[in-house]
Amino acid sequence: MAYITLPTFVGYSTSSGPSRSSFVRRWRRQYEDPARGGFNFYLRAANAIRAGRSSGRDREVMRALVENADERTRPHYAEIANGWLRYLGRRDLRVAEVGRSRWRLGALEVGINPHLGLRKGDGPVHVTWLYFKEEPLSRDAAQMVLWLLEQTMDELRPGGRPLVVDVRRAKEFALSPRDRDKVKPWVRSEASAFMSLWEAAA
């Protein structure tokens, strides 16, 4: 059985050519030796977004995130803070609890860990995954995440709706019925291809 995180699966799906093999090989080495695990560059940003929205003090918390960052992380956190505040705008979004799950295909497990739940008024909870990287999130990658969130929604938040936000660009993505039918075979083929490379990296 192989286990990967959702960001790792997205990273794999957006790579191409020989870099795919190298990507999987690096992840397998980390999987076999957890001590190799890297620093989660965006964990502080995700925690700050949750804290700011929970307390209603988004601007203060985002300001603190940037001011307390070191020289390497400050430019990235500044873009994230500005993007998140633009995304919020006049939206009145309350934080809701969401769970965690795993999506399985054959011997592959993908950890599905949304960052938070967001609810507007009396509407449904949007089970939300945040994208923080400098490179724009492609529509295909966003559709993959949305589909995987939807597949495990009963465990994440029964009755919830999947949502992906490219934070730096204040851009949200949602899944349409037409997209759903196209995404399913592609995600499954990506998972199968990942496992082929995983086994080859043994």
Side-chain angles (χ1 to χ4, degrees), residues 128-141:
T128 307
W129 189 78
L130 305 174
Y131 176 83
F132 295 107
K133 291 186 177 181
E134 192 171 5
E135 305 80 13
L137 180 65
S138 70
R139 185 174 181 275
D140 286 344

Side-chain angles (χ1 to χ4, degrees), residues 81-102:
N82 291 335
W84 179 247
L85 293 175
R86 288 200 315 275
Y87 173 74
L88 284 180
R90 295 181 179 274
R91 290 182 174 95
D92 180 20
L93 301 172
R94 291 176 286 115
V95 173
E97 291 297 319
V98 294
R100 297 183 175 187
S101 185
R102 294 190 179 191

Side-chain angles (χ1 to χ4, degrees), residues 50 52 55 58 70 74 96 106 139 163 183:
R50 280 193 298 269
S55 64
D58 303 279
D70 59 29
R74 186 174 294 118
R139 185 174 181 275
L163 178 68
V183 171

